[in-house]
């Protein structure tokens, strides 16, 4: 029984780490990305903005419903 518990915990941690990193990847070159988190009432509670020059700006909590938006950067 103990081995099953350890394996279950390891699988859970691995799954959570994969899910957490999938959202945190920078967008492709030439795009900017907005990751916005909303609570149950639809209020914005946090965001991550990947800018066109590669900077990452964050604010608030990253929990709740996630919406990801990408758009092309303006041409120089």
């Amino acid at each position: 029984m103990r081995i099953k518990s350890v394996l279950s915990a390891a699988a859970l941690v691995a799954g959570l780490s994969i899910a957490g990193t999938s959202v945190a990847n920078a967008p492709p070159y030439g795009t900017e990305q907005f990751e916005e988190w909303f609570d149950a009432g639809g209020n914005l509670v946090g965001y991550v903005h990947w800018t066109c020059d590669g900077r990452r700006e964050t604010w608030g909590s990253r929990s709740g419903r996630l919406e990801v938006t990408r758009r092309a950067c303006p041409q120089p």
Side-chain angles (χ1 to χ4, degrees):
M1 235 11 182
R2 180 160 164 68
I3 292 175
K4 186 176 180 180
S5 298
V6 171
L7 290 176
S8 295
L12 177 65
V13 169
L16 290 174
S17 66
I18 290 169
T21 58
S22 66
V23 176
N25 292 332
Y29 181 75
T31 62
E32 66 179 333
Q33 178 170 302
F34 299 89
E35 301 168 6
E36 299 174 307
W37 281 267
F38 298 88
D39 64 13
N43 301 306
L44 181 66
V45 294
Y47 72 84
V48 175
H49 174 214
W50 294 89
T51 65
C52 288
D53 62 2
R55 288 179 295 121
R56 183 173 174 246
E57 302 169 345
T58 63
W59 168 82
S61 171
R62 286 183 255 164
S63 62
R65 181 176 51 88
L66 172 63
E67 290 185 15
V68 178
T69 306
R70 275 189 188 159
R71 67 180 181 199
C73 293
Q75 296 298 321

